[in-house]
Amino acid sequence: MSATTTISTKEIKQIFQQRTSDPSELWRLAEKANTLAVVVENYWENLPPKKQELLTAFAYIDFEQPKGINRILLDSIKTLFAAWIVAWIVIKGELNAFITYRNALERLVNAILSAIERENLAYQKALSKAIENAIISSENNKAMTAEEACERLRELSNQALE
């Protein structure tokens, strides 16, 4: 039994380019993002290639940042804008809607990145080898905390990608 949810390109763009201050609109976008995350988690391989490309592009937007002084300037502007937006959200009493929206967006991006990783066999092999090497080399090391283990896995994943 399969479920089909139709989400248009326009709706996908709305999820990633939220510019509203209406809490009901934030709740609606959060619901759409969560629905799309479920679709990506369960039916990624059944999505048309164009929609996969669009979702992939949206998931990688934050990763593709300029270098040097442009990055510093962009980071400063983003930080100031984010502070202003959060202050406005708190003043208007929309914090719960905003947090729900951000969590849904994060879930969607994680679902997309996981789907991309699942279909990349070279990445899977490199990651498996990196984890295997880490386990072998860590046999003589002290026990790690959960946070240290997560950080180590992130490092291994980055090494595997390189």
Side-chain angles (χ1 to χ4, degrees):
M1 180 172 171
S2 67
T4 303
T5 301
T6 304
I7 297 182
S8 70
T9 302
K10 182 180 176 185
E11 290 174 318
I12 293 170
K13 287 179 181 177
Q14 282 181 329
I15 291 168
F16 283 93
Q17 296 175 347
Q18 187 279 319
R19 299 284 186 257
T20 183
S21 63
D22 179 17
S24 61
E25 183 71 8
L26 285 171
W27 288 111
R28 189 183 70 73
L29 289 173
E31 182 179 348
K32 289 216 177 257
N34 276 318
T35 300
L36 186 55
V38 170
V39 170
V40 169
E41 290 165 354
N42 297 315
Y43 305 105
W44 175 260
E45 57 280 344
N46 298 334
L47 292 174
K50 289 280 187 190
K51 286 196 179 179
Q52 287 182 354
E53 288 174 25
L54 178 64
L55 290 168
T56 300
F58 282 129
Y60 282 120
I61 284 173
D62 278 344
F63 297 119
E64 298 170 359
Q65 295 184 1
K67 305 282 188 226
I69 191 72
N70 289 339
R71 181 176 181 163
I72 294 169
L73 181 60
L74 184 62
D75 285 347
S76 299
I77 291 170
K78 284 170 89 175
T79 301
L80 289 173
F81 185 69
W84 182 80
I85 291 292
V86 169
W88 185 252
I89 287 169
V90 170
I91 289 169
K92 291 187 76 177
E94 301 170 1
L95 190 56
N96 287 338
F98 179 74
I99 289 171
T100 301
Y101 168 76
R102 288 299 302 160
N103 288 341
L105 187 62
E106 185 176 333
R107 177 183 179 193
L108 176 56
V109 170
N110 286 337
I112 294 167
L113 294 176
S114 293
I116 292 167
E117 290 172 0
R118 280 193 312 267
E119 69 183 12
N120 186 337
L121 295 178
Y123 174 79
Q124 291 296 323
K125 288 179 183 177
L127 185 59
S128 294
K129 185 177 179 183
I131 291 173
E132 185 178 304
N133 289 339
I135 290 171
I136 292 170
S137 66
S138 70
E139 288 177 348
N140 295 331
N141 293 340
K142 65 178 178 79
M144 286 191 250
T145 65
E147 292 81 18
E148 291 171 332
C150 287
E151 181 61 33
R152 182 68 181 136
L153 286 174
R154 273 189 221 101
E155 290 172 10
L156 292 172
S157 178
N158 290 337
Q159 289 173 1
L161 285 173
E162 295 169 359

